[in-house]
Amino acid sequence: MTDKTAPIALEDRDQTGARLSSPSAARNRGPIMTALSMRLSEGARILEIASGTGEHALALVTHRPDLSWTPSDPDPQSRASADAWAEDAQGRMQPALDLDVCAATWWDKVEPVDAIYCANMIHIAPWEAAQGLFAGAAQLLIQNGALHLYGPYQEGEATAPSNLAFDASLKQRDPRWGVRPLVDVDALAGAHGFVRTERVEMPSNNLLLTFQRGAA
């Protein structure tokens, strides 16, 4: 079983009030928490794009109480879920924002941040979402800030067979979706002044990628 899923289907939702629980978030939040927390500076302000249930946010601020985390999602149920999980975060999770990275100048709604985190979005969205994400990151990140992306990618002949199969299934559901070639993501990053500085292998053939502006 992998954590490469579409947005949470109704039958996958474990509802306790507004709180939603995603099986994929339950599987991957531990490894993500460990890897990402090592790459966030003390007292960092984090903007999460496409937060989903909000479980990743709660895991990170529980592990790193010094962080200030702002979830966001265009889906109102997801925002309500993140806000409900935030009740356990002792003020370290800010109210979830209504952000759609495909919208023009979406970043105007947000204050500058130290880091941006986005998991499992750019393959379950049109390519315009990735373009909007990098465009906004270029506007929002402070100097030496970083954009962290988690998810599956294609890497030429080294691509895992499961990622190729997942790409085919995504394209059957929506031809605008797909597991993105890493070279395309790197090129998009470069067009916005970013350089990939880290590639961390994660469970289930996923990667955690770090991009910084103007890095050598």
Side-chain angles (χ1 to χ4, degrees):
M1 181 178 290
T2 73
D3 60 5
K4 304 176 182 72
T5 60
I8 308 162
L10 184 59
E11 59 269 20
D12 294 331
R13 295 184 174 187
D14 176 15
Q15 296 190 338
T16 305
R19 296 185 181 192
L20 307 178
S21 183
S22 164
S24 63
R27 287 192 297 273
N28 64 34
R29 66 189 173 200
I32 290 174
M33 178 189 70
T34 299
L36 186 58
S37 64
M38 295 172 58
R39 291 162 174 82
L40 299 175
S41 60
E42 184 74 19
R45 299 160 297 166
I46 316 301
L47 171 66
E48 183 179 9
I49 297 297
S51 299
T53 64
E55 293 168 284
H56 284 173
L58 180 61
L60 263 294
V61 299
T62 300
H63 184 66
R64 286 280 307 273
D66 58 292
L67 300 176
S68 176
W69 196 284
T70 302
S72 74
D73 204 286
D75 173 51
Q77 281 188 293
S78 294
R79 295 196 301 274
S81 176
D83 287 341
W85 285 113
E87 295 171 6
D88 296 341
Q90 301 180 356
R92 295 186 291 270
M93 280 174 64
Q94 307 306 311
L97 300 177
D98 180 4
L99 297 181
D100 181 350
V101 294
C102 290
T105 64
W106 63 267
W107 50 86
D108 287 347
K109 299 180 180 180
V110 191
E111 296 294 324
V113 292
D114 301 291
I116 295 174
Y117 167 64
C118 181
N120 289 326
M121 181 194 76
I122 67 173
H123 59 286
I124 314 177
W127 182 240
E128 287 77 14
Q131 294 172 320
L133 175 62
F134 275 97
Q139 298 295 320
L140 291 174
L141 287 171
I142 65 166
Q143 186 175 4
N144 298 322
L147 170 62
H148 303 280
L149 299 183
Y150 170 88
Y153 297 89
Q154 294 193 47
E155 297 184 274
E157 294 182 357
T159 303
S162 63
N163 283 350
L164 292 175
F166 185 46
D167 176 64
S169 71
L170 287 172
K171 286 182 167 62
Q172 284 184 339
R173 294 166 61 187
D174 189 323
R176 301 173 302 166
W177 295 1
V179 176
R180 309 301 180 185
L182 187 52
V183 293
D184 290 351
V185 178
D186 285 343
L188 176 62
H192 290 281
F194 286 89
V195 173
R196 175 160 54 89
T197 56
E198 277 197 285
R199 173 194 174 280
V200 180
E201 294 187 1
M202 302 290 286
S204 302
N205 296 312
N206 289 294
L207 298 176
L208 179 66
L209 306 174
T210 297
F211 297 87
Q212 290 185 296
R213 294 199 71 192

